[in-house]
Amino acid sequence: MIAELGLAALWMAAALAALQLVAGAFGVRADSILVDMARPAAIVQALLVMGSFTALLYVFAVTDLSVALVASNSHSAKPFIYKVTGAWGSHEGSMLLWVTVLAMSGALVARFERRLDARSLAGTLAAQGALALGFYAFLLFSSNPFERLATPVPEGLGLNPLLQDIGLAFHPPTLYLGYVGLSVAFSFAVGALLTGRVDRAFADAMRPWVLGAWVFLTLGISAGSYWAYYELGWGGWWFWDPVENASLMPWLAATALLHSVSVLSSRGGLRTWTIMLAVTAFAMSMLGTFLVRSGILTSVHAFAVDPERGAFILVLMVLYTGAALGLFAWRASAIAEGQRFAVVSREGALVVNNVLLSAILAIVLFGTLYPVATEAFGVRVSVGPPYFNPVSAMFFLPLVLVLLVGPLLRWKRDRLDRIAKPAIAAAVVLGAALVGVAMLGGAGLLPALGIALAVALGVASWMPLKGRRLRYVELSVWGMVLAHFGLAVSLFGAAADSGFSKETLAASAIGDIMAIGPYEVELTSITPVAGPNWTATEATMLARRGGASYELHPQSRSFWQPQQQTSESALLGSWNGQLYAVIGEQADGGRWQVRLWWKPFVTLIWLGSILIALGGVLALVGRMGKRRKRDRARARTARQQAELAAL
């Protein structure tokens, strides 16, 4: 009964999405009655789809094996947390989560957005309704999450063991919040194109959504990277895997959009550029969803793949993006020219920043889709780090150079000689860091440049605070400083790991000692252990460093439903790096395969990501606080004027 109620709620939500689309589209012609219909339609639709998703969570939580999706993706022996999170471990569940977040976003826009004029808001709600309607159609006609089995099965097939991890349980929802946040930016862009009003009100309305989406994407990508690092047992944190790229591409577009919409909000410039980036960012979100779900690319991350239903998502992406680009071509001439600015200005630096980000996006897109294009002609090729690392670095390293001085420039027009001193100071730090890395030796050219630029950026990122009374500095400025510093921290960690990481692979007997980095590691025992739905071989290792010793317990797990082996690595962190241990199969002569890595400063990669996201949160809170103050001031002024008029 719960499943049927969930399906009924989904149908009703789809009907309201259609109403929202029609009412919003007619509302663009300034019919306020229809706009008034679009707002409640969006809110009630969100409540219905939330009810539908809650029903799906329930059937997974109780392991209702009469529902086909539960039977295919769950098992009664699974821990409860993974029974629940299994709800989004498949096509159907993940798409229902997608459209739930989408509808909730539309409801928030309908309920709280007051900056846009009625016509622009109507166009935005119409676009949001159209997006939701496409995903409802996908669920109702292609991927029904509540489909019943004719005969309930006695036991489920279980969930992919790689998904049975707390990191990946929360990784997809975080990414989806980012993806769907960009859908709202897309809808704002469509609404602005329909009315031709690409102004500061439009930018003020769009910016919090872009900022929020960017924060969630940053956290989602970072969580996914850390999951791949500790769960897959390969010791790496980024492999330019197609599905890794699928989430990176919208992040790159969102980063460029974030800077562009800031210029539009603050200075009234980059209007058409902002619209194009909003469309591009959402198109990359759709492309990412398609790559993960279609099976068109081979990846360890590509769960729940289905070419037929992936094609449905591709059609939606083409429809939405094509319609938005067609609208842009039709209405671009109606968009007023933005404020002009000199080449040497903060706007100029942000334009260079955006061009470089767009170039990196194009490189990643080309490298991700090139194998698909060649395979269509019968040629199999693989594109990996040998292409992505040097080619993207050609644009990423200049991007960091722009970040060294860009925040110091003034809006509209500036002089290079005014920032000569801090620029020289940054150059001196950069040179000194480069010499220091060269003296250490052992690192390649790119890691050495990465470390040097990271040190220089780490210092330069705090320069915008120089000479200011810190207690009066706006939160948005603190956010920018922290985000740029976080980028420096992540870059330092990535470059140090790439340049100085060490690896040892050995066939070890009990009592053998291996040297790796600053540690000596002894294999002391191997014991069998068991979990709720797995058994494992667990090693006990004793790592010694400077008179202290620490125990590590890597495991090789065997899940029985579905039958699959996974490596559970053991990590030992210290101030300057991490020891990473993996146990493998038993080899000839009773020895065990043991793999060890010493990874200098690797944890800074994720610490930096958290700082970047925290910077985004500070900027978001700062903007919201400023907006609240401005609204209060306007309300006070309006009240005073009303009182004067009454006298």
Side-chain angles (χ1 to χ4, degrees), residues 563-583:
Q563 294 184 0
Q564 187 171 328
Q565 279 203 316
T566 63
S567 291
E568 303 296 319
S569 60
L571 306 176
L572 176 60
S574 64
W575 70 271
N576 63 340
Q578 203 168 55
L579 176 64
Y580 187 113
V582 173
I583 185 74

Side-chain angles (χ1 to χ4, degrees), residues 513-537:
I513 297 176
M514 297 150 281
I516 181 77
Y519 288 96
E520 285 188 341
V521 182
E522 179 183 356
L523 179 62
T524 59
S525 67
I526 298 286
T527 54
V529 294
N533 56 344
W534 50 265
T535 58
T537 301

Side-chain angles (χ1 to χ4, degrees), residues 160-385:
N160 186 327
L162 290 175
L163 293 174
Q164 296 183 44
D165 178 83
I166 198 68
L168 209 64
F170 294 101
H171 166 60
T174 313
L175 272 187
Y176 282 8
L177 286 169
Y179 285 170
V180 177
L182 293 178
S183 80
V184 180
F186 172 87
S187 297
F188 276 123
V190 171
L193 281 172
L194 288 171
T195 59
R197 301 195 63 170
V198 185
D199 50 17
R200 291 186 181 177
F202 155 76
D204 287 343
M206 178 195 280
R207 185 154 64 171
W209 289 96
V210 178
L211 200 47
W214 182 79
V215 168
F216 281 115
L217 278 175
T218 303
L219 292 173
I221 292 171
S222 177
S225 165
Y226 192 61
W227 167 84
Y229 171 73
Y230 72 78
E231 179 66 19
L232 297 182
W234 64 297
W237 52 274
W238 195 266
F239 193 63
W240 295 105
D241 178 275
V243 175
E244 292 175 349
N245 295 346
S247 58
L248 177 64
M249 289 187 288
W251 186 87
L252 289 168
T255 306
L257 174 59
L258 184 59
H259 289 94
S260 181
V261 77
S262 296
V263 174
L264 177 54
S265 177
S266 303
R267 311 300 302 173
L270 302 183
R271 298 184 178 191
T272 54
W273 187 241
T274 301
I275 293 288
M276 278 303 297
L277 283 174
V279 174
T280 303
F282 180 63
M284 291 299 104
S285 296
M286 291 289 293
L287 179 63
T289 306
F290 166 70
L291 291 176
V292 174
R293 298 296 171 190
S294 66
I296 194 170
L297 294 170
T298 304
S299 166
V300 295
H301 304 269
F303 305 110
V305 295
D306 186 315
E308 184 178 338
R309 287 179 287 185
F312 201 118
I313 300 173
L314 181 63
V315 170
L316 289 180
M317 183 183 76
V318 171
L319 279 176
Y320 294 146
T321 309
L325 291 177
L327 186 61
F328 179 79
W330 176 44
R331 298 285 295 170
S333 59
I335 300 173
E337 186 180 3
Q339 295 289 326
R340 293 179 177 274
F341 52 86
V343 174
V344 181
S345 63
R346 185 175 292 190
E347 292 98 321
L350 288 171
V351 168
V352 175
N353 170 81
N354 275 5
V355 169
L356 291 171
L357 281 168
S358 300
I360 297 171
L361 171 60
I363 289 164
V364 178
L365 182 63
F366 176 79
T368 304
L369 297 183
Y370 182 70
V372 179
T374 58
E375 194 163 345
F377 295 97
V379 180
R380 278 180 172 265
V381 298
S382 175
V383 180

Side-chain angles (χ1 to χ4, degrees), residues 80-143:
F80 181 75
I81 179 70
Y82 300 127
K83 286 184 181 178
V84 174
T85 59
W88 53 81
S90 62
H91 267 295
E92 294 83 351
S94 63
M95 287 299 102
L96 182 54
L97 174 61
W98 219 103
V99 78
T100 301
V101 180
L102 184 73
M104 290 168 62
S105 302
L108 289 174
V109 172
R111 174 65 182 83
F112 295 108
E113 181 50 54
R114 294 289 182 270
R115 284 160 291 197
L116 290 179
D117 63 283
R119 292 177 59 220
S120 296
L121 179 61
T124 301
L125 291 177
Q128 198 72 5
L131 295 180
L133 198 57
F135 283 95
Y136 287 130
F138 174 78
L139 287 166
L140 294 170
F141 300 120
S142 175
S143 300

Side-chain angles (χ1 to χ4, degrees), residues 405-487:
V405 296
L408 304 176
L409 291 168
R410 289 173 175 163
W411 293 108
K412 196 173 181 180
R413 183 181 296 278
D414 205 346
R415 302 188 323 274
L416 285 177
D417 60 322
R418 194 188 63 80
I419 61 166
K421 286 184 179 178
I424 291 172
V428 169
V429 173
L430 176 62
L434 202 54
V435 170
V437 178
M439 290 176 66
L440 284 176
L445 176 62
L446 286 180
L449 281 173
I451 291 172
L453 282 169
V455 173
L457 179 60
V459 174
S461 58
W462 297 96
M463 287 184 180
L465 301 179
K466 185 172 180 293
R468 304 176 70 164
R469 299 179 69 179
L470 297 184
R471 60 182 297 187
Y472 296 112
V473 173
E474 295 177 353
L475 275 180
S476 57
V477 176
W478 278 109
M480 176 193 70
V481 168
L482 198 58
H484 288 179
F485 181 69
L487 178 63

